[in-house]
Structure formats: structure tokens, C-alpha cells
């Protein structure tokens, strides 16, 4: 059996008495389109933070292609190909779209520590950034500062920065959150067009989006894996429906 | 061939030409030279002004570009001043230029050591810790009487002629003025190169969104420490020149007054803008000179009001105001995206 692309083995995380992740064993396969869903407070964001190295787990292991990365820092994990986007935009708001993407590409190709060569002379970085923006249909907006960009496009820049890292694993935290419905298709198309080789994990509430993309769904409830299966199985799972319907009737 | 089309794009063109010299950039230097010939009697004032510009540029690198909030930058100014002053006073070393390098090295070492600890924190904690570092150094200078002259400072620092040719004369500071101007030019070119480099770009990234810089795999703290150390070295050079130009060192080089003044200069001129230091220093010096004449007892009040106004309505300082005005006056110059 070959090692999964990204794997956790009974990972737990406690904040005092709160157990935000309990014995989560999870596998993301190469080229996967995997979704992680669950009601509010299920520990989805904590789980992402454990995968990216923002938080160290209280117990358990995280593996990338079979290599133990449990204690590895965030920057080192990024170098190995784990990239993420944020639920709330985390952009360089005062800079242009191109300069935003330049930031991550420069980091990946190792241009960022250079102190003498002007940033503008790293044509390779600019070139790659522009091509990335072209593939995301953002090239027309490349010169605009983030603050002057509609929210839907800002979400796209969020994605572009992550793709600039040429990830092997891409974690998308509610990629379409807050986007007006007229613009959602921009994000959906972009996710559709992601390179097939990237293993993608989408964390979302939006069931339309999840069922459209995911080949596999993991349901997280109160920090633990509640159910896992194909969209069909999850859709037909009475317990999962109960969790969500229960949420709906209460909320 | 897709490469040429990419660089035809206005965004790519803007980024690849960002570091080029603009037509107005020689202006401050021409003005500084003109000042030398036109106001030979005010060269003392001019020297002080240029030193503050250099000091403000060092702060701009840390505060304006990397977003390191510090209220204790005079620690490095003082470290440079005392290093140069003590070496000369105790007859150890007094050649001016190499002294500056030693002063810069000492300031950098203090910047590195304190930065490794301080830059784990942000915001108010960072602000207080930078203040504490400076207070500790000031107290050390106050107590180490035998070496530092304590509260009285060190007077009668004798500096040999520059390159063995040009006399340092506190009463007629021609040499000092050109010496500072030269040092300022070199340091400025260095900082300008740095902020337009990919490294400088990543500092801006840290200022704009630290969390995201972590997420793109940047070694954020290392970058901040490097930036803080460089900034400290430049402040040390400014302090060293101050000691040489005035032929004395005292506790004022390490005090909160100086740290606050340089901050005011930068906020007034506009931080994160390179030339904010120039505009701010000239505005501050001219304004305090003028206000002190009109209201000898309460001149700082006027400065206070101005600062409040800037902080409330013009976050980009004087340069930022100018940029806003230019943008309003100019017809909308929207670059056309290639169709």
C-alpha cells in the first residue's frame, strides 16, 4: 500500500477542557477532491491549523507522503507543498494584485531573501505571477490594489497566492464564503480548473459546492470523524442528515 | 511567444520599473547642496537636520516598511554616538569613517540581541519593550560614569581631519555638513535598494499581513530581525556622526525625547515612503524653529495640534497628502488592460 498524500493518525487537540480534535484519522489521496464538512464548532478550522502547522497537536501524527511532519513548522510545511487559503481574506491589501501573487511566487523560488537585485528585475517571478493570474482570469485586474477589487475577485486572489506556491496539497477554507451569488461562478470555475495533480481539501458549509466538487466527504462533529464516504453515501446517511437537520431546526 | 505580452501589461510594467529613478529624485540632493552654498552660516542647523533625516530613514525601514512599532529607536542612535564618543575620548580610536563602522556594528549587535527577544511580540508589548531597552541603555550610560561621563556626558571629543585633509570645526561646520550629506547619500542608496528588492517586498508583506506571510512559507521572524538589525546599524551611523559633528556625547542621544522626535518626523513626512524622512525632518525643524519664535513658551502645543490633525486626517503624512492631491488633480489615468 502506498502512503497517502496527507495523512493524520489519531490526532487530538485540546484547549484546556475543550477537545477540538479527537482521534482524527484522515487520509487525503493524491489528486483528491475531498470535502470536510460539519456543523459550526465542529473543529474544522482547528483541523486545518493542525495540518498546516499553525497549532501543534496534543497527540497523534501528521504525515506528508509518509514522512512524519508532526513537529515541523509552518514555513517548512509550505516548502514541502502544503498551501492553504483563508476563510476570511488574508491579502496584502495595500498592494496590487500582481504584487500579492509575486509575494508567494518569490517565496517559493527563493527570490525573497535577495536584498540587492530589484524585485522588478526578477522577470521570472513576474512572468510566472502574470501567467498564474491569466489562468485564473485575473490578468485584467492585475494592476488594481486589493481594496479596489470586488469581493469575488479578492477571493480569487486568495486562491492565486496559494497556487503561487505550486502546492501538492491545497486546503481551501470556505473558498466561496461571503461572495455574492452573482460572482460565485468565478470561484467555482477556478476550483474546477485546478490542476488535477493537486490534492484538494475543501472545508465548507455550502452543500451545493461540496456536492459539486467532492469525490469524497468527511463529516466532522464535535472534533471527531462522524462519517466518511462518497457524496452519495453521505447524502443518504440518516445520521448525517440528523446532525444537519438538527442544526437547521435549532438555528 | 507569450513573454513579451506579459510585460506589456501595465501591472507587470509598473512592477518591473518600480525601482527606476524618477525625475524628481535628485531634487532633495540638489537642494541640500544649494543650502551649503547659500546658507554658510546655517550649516550647523543643516548638519543637525541631515542627521535627523538619516535617523528617520533608519526608522522608516523598520517602522514604515516592516511595520515594527518601536518607540525606542534612540537606543541605537545613542549606542552609535557613545561608541564613537568613548573610543575617541579615551584615546582608543578616532579616525572618523572607521569609527562610524564600529558605531554601526555596536548598534547592530544591540539591535540583533534585543530584536531576537523583542520581535517575538507585537503591538503594545513590542512598543513597551523597545522603550524598556532604550531606558536600560540610558541608565547604563548614566551609571557608567568612568566610561560614559555619566549625566554630564563626554566633552572635547577630538576628531582628526577627514581623510587627513578636512578639519572638523564645530564653529564653522563645512566639513561636517558635506560629511553627513555623503554618509546620508550612501545610506539612502542602500535603503532604497533594499526596499525595492524582493526582501523589501517581503517586509512590506509582513507589514500588510503577517499571518499570510507565515502561510506562504516566509521565515517571518528571521526577516524582521534582519531588518531590525540593519535599521539599528543605520541609526548607529546617524548617532556616530552626531557625536563627531558636535564633539560631545550626552544622555540626550539615548532619550525618549529623541526617539519621539524621530517618530514625529516620520509620521509628519509620511512613513513607508522613503522621502517622508526628508520632508518630515525639514517640516519639523522649520516648524519648531518658527513656532518657538512666535510662542517661546508653548511652541510644542502647535506641533501637537498638527500631529493630531495628521493622525486623524492624513495618515500618509505630508507626502501622502501630496499623493492624494495629485490623484485628485490628475484626470483618471487608468491603465488599460490588454484586450
Amino acid at each position: 500500500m502506498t502512503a497517502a498524500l496527507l495523512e493524520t493518525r489519531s490526532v487530538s487537540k485540546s484547549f484546556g477542557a475543550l477537545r477540538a480534535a479527537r482521534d482524527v484519522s484522515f487520509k487525503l489521496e493524491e489528486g483528491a477532491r475531498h470535502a470536510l464538512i460539519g456543523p459550526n464548532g465542529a473543529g474544522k478550522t482547528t483541523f486545518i491549523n493542525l495540518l498546516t502547522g499553525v497549532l501543534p497537536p496534543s497527540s497523534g501524527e501528521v504525515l506528508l507522503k509518509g514522512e512524519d511532519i508532526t513537529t515541523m513548522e509552518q514555513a517548512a510545511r509550505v516548502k514541502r507543498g502544503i498551501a492553504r487559503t483563508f476563510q476570511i481574506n488574508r491579502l496584502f491589501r495595500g498592494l496590487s494584485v500582481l504584487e500579492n501573487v509575486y509575494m508567494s511566487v518569490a517565496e517559493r523560488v527563493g527570490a525573497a531573501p535577495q536584498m540587492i537585485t530589484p524585485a522588478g528585475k526578477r522577470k521570472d517571478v513576474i512572468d510566472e505571477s502574470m501567467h498564474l493570474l491569466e489562468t485564473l482570469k485575473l490578468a485584467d485586474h492585475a494592476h488594481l490594489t486589493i481594496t479596489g477589487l470586488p469581493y469575488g475577485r479578492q477571493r480569487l486572489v486568495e486562491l492565486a497566492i496559494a497556487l503561487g506556491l505550486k502546492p501538492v496539497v491545497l486546503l481551501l477554507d470556505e473558498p466561496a464564503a461571503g461572495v455574492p451569488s452573482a460572482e460565485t461562478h468565478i470561484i467555482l470555475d477556478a476550483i474546477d480548473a485546478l490542476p488535477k495533480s493537486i490534492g484538494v481539501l475543501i472545508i465548507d458549509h455550502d452543500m451545493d459546492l461540496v456536492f459539486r466538487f467532492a469525490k469524497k466527504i468527511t463529516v466532522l462533529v464535535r472534533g471527531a470523524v462522524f462519517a466518511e464516504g462518497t457524496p452519495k453515501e453521505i447524502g443518504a446517511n440518516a445520521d448525517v442528515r440528523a446532525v444537519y437537520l438538527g442544526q437547521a431546526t435549532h438555528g | 511567444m507569450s513573454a513579451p505580452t506579459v510585460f506589456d501589461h501595465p501591472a507587470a510594467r509598473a512592477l518591473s520599473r518600480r525601482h527606476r529613478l524618477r525625475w524628481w529624485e535628485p531634487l532633495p540632493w540638489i537642494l541640500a547642496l544649494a543650502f551649503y552654498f547659500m546658507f554658510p552660516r546655517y550649516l550647523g542647523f543643516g548638519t543637525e537636520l541631515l542627521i535627523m533625516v538619516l535617523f528617520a530613514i533608519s526608522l522608516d525601514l523598520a517602522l514604515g516598511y516592516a511595520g515594527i512599532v518601536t518607540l525606542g529607536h534612540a537606543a541605537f542612535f545613542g549606542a552609535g554616538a557613545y561608541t564613537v564618543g568613548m573610543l575617541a575620548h579615551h584615546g582608543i580610536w578616532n579616525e572618523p569613517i572607521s569609527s562610524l563602522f564600529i558605531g554601526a556594528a555596536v548598534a547592530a549587535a544591540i539591535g540583533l540581541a534585543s530584536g531576537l527577544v523583542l520581535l517575538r511580540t507585537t503591538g503594545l508589548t513590542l512598543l513597551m519593550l523597545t522603550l524598556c531597552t532604550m531606558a536600560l541603555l540610558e541608565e547604563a550610560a548614566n551609571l557608567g560614569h568612568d566610561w560614559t561621563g555619566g549625566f554630564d556626558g563626554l566633552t572635547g571629543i577630538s576628531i582628526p581631519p577627514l581623510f587627513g585633509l578636512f578639519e572638523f570645526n564645530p564653529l564653522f561646520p563645512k566639513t561636517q555638513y558635506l560629511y553627513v550629506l555623503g554618509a546620508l547619500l550612501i545610506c539612502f542608496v542602500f535603503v532604497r535598494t533594499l526596499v525595492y528588492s524582493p526582501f523589501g517586498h517581503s517586509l512590506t508583506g509582513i507589514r500588510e499581513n503577517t499571518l499570510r506571510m507565515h502561510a506562504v512559507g516566509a521565515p517571518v521572524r528571521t526577516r524582521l530581525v534582519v531588518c531590525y538589525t540593519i535599521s539599528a546599524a543605520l541609526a548607529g551611523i546617524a548617532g556616530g556622526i552626531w557625536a563627531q559633528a558636535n564633539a560631545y556625547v550626552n544622555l540626550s542621544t539615548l532619550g525618549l525625547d529623541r526617539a519621539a522626535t524621530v517618530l514625529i518626523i516620520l509620521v509628519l513626512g509620511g512613513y513607508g515612503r522613503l522621502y517622508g524622512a526628508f520632508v518630515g525632518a525639514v517640516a519639523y525643524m522649520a516648524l519648531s524653529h518658527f513656532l518657538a519664535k512666535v510662542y517661546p513658551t508653548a511652541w510644542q502645543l502647535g506641533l501637537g495640534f498638527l500631529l493630531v490633525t495628521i493622525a486623524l486626517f492624513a495618515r500618509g503624512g505630508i507626502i501622502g497628502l501630496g499623493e492624494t492631491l495629485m490623484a485628485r488633480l490628475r484626470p483618471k489615468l487608468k491603465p488599460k488592460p490588454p484586450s
Side-chain angles (χ1 to χ4, degrees):
Chain A
M1 195 184 112
T2 57
L5 183 58
L6 185 64
E7 183 181 356
T8 66
R9 290 186 187 155
S10 33
V11 157
S12 296
K13 179 69 189 177
S14 307
F15 300 103
L18 175 73
R19 294 184 61 196
R22 314 170 184 229
D23 272 337
V24 179
S25 291
F26 168 88
K27 272 185 188 176
L28 185 76
E29 302 295 340
E30 212 147 324
R33 293 293 180 271
H34 198 139
L36 184 69
I37 63 172
N40 276 326
K44 300 187 293 289
T45 301
T46 301
F47 188 63
I48 291 235
N49 286 337
L50 291 170
L51 292 178
T52 51
V54 174
L55 294 170
S58 308
S59 65
E61 292 174 326
V62 183
L63 299 102
L64 180 70
K65 292 179 183 165
E67 184 194 8
D68 190 345
I69 58 165
T70 314
T71 55
M72 201 176 271
E73 281 194 17
Q74 191 178 3
R77 293 190 199 200
V78 173
K79 293 269 178 285
R80 275 158 213 259
I82 303 182
R84 68 167 296 184
T85 65
F86 291 84
Q87 184 183 346
I88 300 161
N89 284 342
R90 305 247 178 225
L91 304 172
F92 309 108
R93 297 187 61 82
L95 306 183
S96 76
V97 171
L98 175 61
E99 286 170 326
N100 267 262
V101 180
Y102 187 100
M103 209 68 83
S104 73
V105 176
E107 224 38 85
R108 193 195 84 243
V109 302
Q114 286 183 338
M115 294 187 176
I116 304 300
T117 323
K121 285 214 170 147
R122 284 302 300 248
K123 303 274 187 209
D124 56 327
V125 180
I126 298 178
D127 195 52
E128 191 186 326
S129 307
M130 278 308 294
H131 279 119
L132 183 56
L133 291 176
E134 271 167 17
T135 59
L136 287 171
K137 302 194 175 66
L138 265 175
D140 288 354
H141 304 268
H143 59 283
L144 295 176
T145 40
I146 299 297
T147 40
L149 214 59
Y151 197 78
R153 307 274 179 200
Q154 289 190 22
R155 294 303 284 162
L156 222 46
V157 178
E158 186 70 38
L159 190 62
I161 293 175
L163 288 176
L165 299 168
K166 285 210 174 145
V168 293
V169 175
L170 182 59
L171 311 171
L172 301 174
D173 196 353
E174 301 198 23
V179 179
S181 52
E183 293 178 20
T184 339
H185 69 276
I186 307 174
I187 309 289
L188 301 185
D189 293 348
I191 298 174
D192 260 340
L194 286 177
K196 294 283 169 270
S197 57
I198 303 179
V200 182
L201 179 64
I202 301 177
I203 295 89
D204 219 307
H205 285 295
D206 184 343
M207 287 306 135
D208 288 343
L209 192 145
V210 166
F211 280 91
R212 174 168 167 184
F213 292 107
K215 303 274 184 291
K216 195 174 175 188
I217 298 177
T218 301
V219 186
L220 210 61
V221 176
R222 269 178 275 123
V225 175
F226 184 77
E228 195 166 67
T230 62
K232 221 176 205 174
E233 288 164 6
I234 295 296
N237 186 321
D239 293 336
V240 174
R241 295 175 76 108
V243 168
Y244 271 91
L245 287 174
Q247 283 281 312
T249 48
H250 287 119
Chain B
M1 283 296 285
S2 57
T5 59
V6 165
F7 289 99
D8 281 343
H9 194 287
R13 212 183 312 142
L15 183 54
S16 60
R17 291 181 185 175
R18 195 172 63 159
H19 56 276
R20 289 194 192 167
L21 211 60
R22 277 161 293 242
W23 65 268
W24 49 265
E25 287 192 82
L27 271 181
W29 309 100
I30 295 171
L31 288 176
L33 270 181
F35 184 90
Y36 174 82
F37 292 107
M38 289 166 70
F39 303 103
R41 291 172 43 167
Y42 289 94
L43 288 183
F45 173 80
T47 305
E48 189 82 10
L49 182 83
L50 293 179
I51 291 174
M52 282 317 273
V53 172
L54 178 54
F55 188 27
I57 284 173
S58 80
L59 180 64
D60 202 18
L61 185 60
L63 179 83
Y65 282 91
I68 302 171
V69 189
T70 165
L71 198 51
H73 220 52
F76 309 120
F77 187 91
Y82 269 97
T83 303
V84 169
M86 289 193 304
L87 286 176
H89 183 83
H90 299 290
I92 301 167
W93 188 257
N94 64 4
E95 195 283 317
I97 291 176
S98 52
S99 294
L100 284 189
F101 277 106
I102 302 172
V106 170
I110 296 173
L112 176 65
S114 63
L116 281 171
V117 181
L118 299 188
L119 294 170
R120 291 166 180 271
T121 67
T122 54
L124 201 56
T125 320
L126 178 59
L127 195 77
M128 293 315 290
L129 287 175
T130 55
L131 200 59
C132 291
T133 313
M134 185 175 69
L136 282 173
L137 277 182
E138 190 182 3
E139 207 42 50
N142 189 20
L143 291 175
H145 193 277
D146 292 348
W147 275 91
T148 62
F151 191 75
D152 303 323
L154 298 172
T155 50
I157 296 169
S158 75
I159 305 292
L162 189 61
F163 307 122
L165 291 172
F166 307 102
E167 202 78 50
F168 275 88
N169 181 348
L171 293 178
F172 200 55
K174 274 187 155 179
T175 308
Q176 280 97 316
Y177 185 85
L178 293 177
Y179 175 60
V180 188
L181 192 58
L184 177 62
L185 180 62
I186 293 167
C187 293
F188 177 79
V189 168
F190 174 70
V191 172
R192 193 184 182 283
T193 308
L194 200 63
V195 300
Y196 286 125
S197 73
F199 178 82
H201 192 62
S202 81
L203 291 181
T204 311
I206 295 172
R207 182 195 69 205
E208 292 279 318
N209 203 325
T210 311
L211 207 76
R212 192 54 186 254
M213 282 312 275
H214 280 292
V216 300
V220 170
R221 215 174 67 221
T222 312
R223 296 260 164 84
L224 287 178
V225 171
V226 169
C227 168
Y228 196 60
T229 305
I230 294 173
S231 167
L234 294 169
I237 293 175
I241 296 176
W242 191 90
Q244 291 171 341
N246 291 304
Y248 66 84
V249 195
N250 60 22
L251 289 180
S252 82
T253 57
L254 275 170
L256 180 59
D257 238 31
R258 186 170 299 275
T261 302
V262 73
L263 197 61
I264 291 170
I265 284 175
L266 203 55
V267 170
L268 207 58
Y271 54 87
R273 288 177 155 79
L274 278 182
Y275 288 94
F278 292 82
V279 176
V282 171
Y284 178 87
M285 298 287 238
L287 209 68
S288 49
H289 185 76
F290 168 75
L291 286 172
K293 250 187 191 167
V294 186
Y295 306 107
T297 49
W299 64 275
Q300 285 181 317
L301 200 64
L303 214 58
F305 275 125
L306 185 72
L307 260 185
V308 171
T309 315
I310 291 261
L312 284 178
F313 303 111
R315 301 292 289 273
I318 296 171
I319 292 201
L321 265 180
E323 284 168 0
T324 316
L325 280 178
M326 287 292 279
R328 288 254 173 97
L329 289 175
R330 221 179 259 182
K332 303 251 183 250
L333 275 177
K334 273 195 178 162
K336 276 185 215 136
S339 46

